[in-house]
Amino acid sequence: DFGPPAPAATVEPVAGTIKLHQQTSAGAARTTQAVANLAAAAGELHTAGDFCPAPVRAEALRRGWAVRSLDEVAPHADAASTPPNSGRGPRPRPGGRAAAKRHGPEPTAGKSGGVVLVWRNSRFTKSEFACASPGSRLNHFPHTKHITRKDMLLRGLRKMRAVHGKIYSFVPTAFVLPSEYTKFVKAYSEDEDAGRETVWICKPSDMSRGRKIFLIRSLSELHYDQQFVIQRYVERPLTIGGYKVDLRVYVLVTSLHPLSIYIYRDGLARFGTEKYDNACNDIGNLYAHLTNSSINKFSNTYSDEKDVIGSGAKWDFKQLAAWLDGAEESSARANQAEPAAASSEQL
C-alpha cells in the first residue's frame, strides 16, 4: 500500500566478522547496514587487502569494532613473495577453502564465532557456492539468473502461462533473437498484412540500466550484436503530467524453501524527462520512452521544473500517493461541477 515506510528489517544481533570480497560502491550502503545489524555485540571488520569503503569502516568504528586487514589477522606464509592478485594459482573463493589456504585459518570474533558476509553486485559461480564456508552469508541465491536475465524470464513466463493459463497473458508478445528470428518475422508480417504499424522494443538479454535499448518500426532498423529480447511495445503507457512513469517496488527474499518474501512499503516512481507522444513519432527519443535514471540523468531537461513531476526524474511513493489523492479530489470536484453547470443551462 502507500502507507508510511516500514522500519528497516533487522536480524538477531550476534558477534561476528565481516569480510569484504569484490565490494563495489553500489553495495557499500547495504554492507554498512549489515555491519549495523551484526554489531550489537563485540565484533570485527576484516577487509580483503587494503580495500574498505569509507561508510563501512566508519560504521564499524562507530559501533566499537576493530578494523583489521585479513593479512593482519591471519598472515599467510608467502605473503611477502606472492602479491594477492598475482594471478598465479586458483582464484580464491569468497569465505571458502581457497581463501582459507591463502589467508590462513578462518578468523572468528568473540565466543559466538565468525560470520562472513560476502556482498557482490554480480553473480557467484557454482563453485563459489560449493566452496563457501558454513558460516558464510552470500547475498545471492543460486540460479537467480532465471528471473534476472530477460531471455530466461521470458521462457519462464511462457511456461507459467502454459500451466496457469490467461492469468499470465499480461506479458506482451516477445521473442529471443537470434534463435526465434523466424517466429518474430512471422508476427511482424501478420501485423503488416493487417495494416497495423507496430512498434517493437529491443533489449539485450543480460544488460541493465537501459544500455543498448532501442525501438523499431521496420525490419530494416533491426541490428543486434548479441542476444536480444524483442517485444511488442506498450504504446499507450501510464503517464503523469505527460511523462512516462513506471514503479520500482523493492522486495527481499530471505528463503526459497519455504518461500519467504517481504515487500517494502516505500518505493520509487521513475519518469522519462521528455513528454511522451502517444503517436510514437519519435521512437529514437529515449528520454521520452525509457524511465531508467541512468539514461535520463543525461537529459537536458533533467534539472528543469517539469509539469507536475518537477525537477529530476523520481518520486517516492509518498509523493505519488499525495499526487493521486490530489488527482482524485480534483476529479471529484469536476464531477460535482458538471451537474451544477447542467442545471444552470436548464434554468
Side-chain angles (χ1 to χ4, degrees):
D1 57 35
F2 287 106
T10 58
V11 297
E12 186 67 23
V14 296
T17 299
I18 289 183
K19 297 195 301 179
L20 302 181
H21 295 269
Q22 297 190 11
Q23 173 68 33
T24 65
S25 58
R30 300 179 180 88
T31 310
T32 303
Q33 181 60 43
V35 174
N37 290 340
L38 289 170
E44 291 186 2
L45 170 65
H46 295 172
T47 65
D50 297 327
F51 179 78
C52 181
V56 177
R57 181 183 293 273
E59 178 65 23
L61 293 174
R62 190 178 73 83
R63 297 280 178 164
W65 281 34
V67 178
R68 297 188 289 172
S69 71
L70 286 172
D71 290 339
E72 180 185 351
V73 176
H76 47 287
D78 57 348
S81 58
T82 306
N85 296 320
S86 64
R88 287 182 285 172
R91 187 182 179 119
R93 303 303 180 191
R97 301 187 192 104
K101 287 180 181 178
R102 201 182 85 183
H103 294 296
E106 287 290 321
T108 59
K111 297 180 180 179
S112 301
V115 175
V116 180
L117 174 65
V118 186
W119 192 282
R120 182 185 294 176
N121 283 353
S122 57
R123 304 183 187 103
F124 295 97
T125 64
K126 183 182 294 186
S127 59
E128 285 172 329
F129 281 112
C131 294
S133 60
S136 296
R137 297 292 182 267
L138 280 64
N139 71 316
H140 290 286
F141 288 106
H143 306 300
T144 53
K145 64 182 180 181
H146 288 280
I147 59 174
T148 59
R149 280 184 58 111
K150 299 176 184 69
D151 57 331
M152 292 187 172
L153 177 61
L154 173 60
R155 295 186 180 104
L157 289 170
R158 287 173 178 171
K159 292 178 182 178
M160 297 300 286
R161 183 172 183 178
V163 173
H164 300 287
K166 64 180 181 180
I167 191 173
Y168 277 89
S169 62
F170 63 87
V171 182
T173 303
F175 304 94
V176 179
L177 300 179
S179 60
E180 297 178 344
Y181 179 79
T182 303
K183 294 180 180 179
F184 160 65
V185 171
K186 181 181 178 181
Y188 174 88
S189 299
E190 289 173 352
D191 286 349
E192 194 174 49
D193 293 341
R196 295 189 296 266
E197 191 179 21
T198 306
V199 176
W200 298 82
I201 185 168
C202 309
K203 301 180 179 183
S205 295
D206 195 22
M207 296 188 77
S208 59
R209 303 195 299 276
R211 291 173 293 176
K212 289 195 173 185
I213 294 179
F214 60 96
L215 282 70
I216 67 168
R217 274 201 178 93
S218 170
L219 278 178
S220 62
E221 299 170 332
L222 179 59
H223 303 280
Y224 51 92
D225 56 0
Q226 62 189 91
Q227 185 168 267
F228 265 70
V229 170
I230 187 167
Q231 186 177 55
R232 273 201 180 97
Y233 188 50
V234 179
E235 295 185 45
R236 297 183 64 84
L238 176 66
T239 61
I240 293 179
Y243 297 92
K244 187 175 180 179
V245 60
D246 71 5
L247 302 183
R248 171 156 288 196
V249 180
Y250 293 91
V251 298
L252 170 67
V253 180
T254 56
S255 171
L256 294 181
H257 187 71
L259 185 61
S260 180
I261 302 175
Y262 295 86
I263 301 178
Y264 192 55
R265 291 185 183 179
D266 202 358
L268 292 176
R270 305 184 307 168
F271 298 94
T273 48
E274 294 192 15
K275 289 200 172 184
Y276 184 82
D277 176 15
N278 282 327
C280 287
N281 289 321
D282 187 5
I283 59 174
N285 185 3
L286 296 183
Y287 298 133
H289 292 282
L290 301 185
T291 60
N292 304 76
S293 301
S294 54
I295 296 292
N296 282 283
K297 66 183 180 181
F298 297 109
S299 170
N300 291 332
T301 63
Y302 180 80
S303 300
D304 295 349
E305 284 293 327
K306 297 176 282 294
D307 292 344
V308 182
I309 68 173
S311 178
K314 293 179 187 176
W315 283 357
D316 60 25
F317 279 2
K318 292 179 190 175
Q319 293 170 287
L320 179 62
W323 180 83
L324 290 172
D325 290 341
E328 186 177 1
E329 291 175 4
S330 298
S331 177
R333 286 195 298 268
N335 290 337
Q336 291 173 358
E338 286 178 4
S343 299
S344 300
E345 289 176 1
Q346 292 174 1
L347 291 173

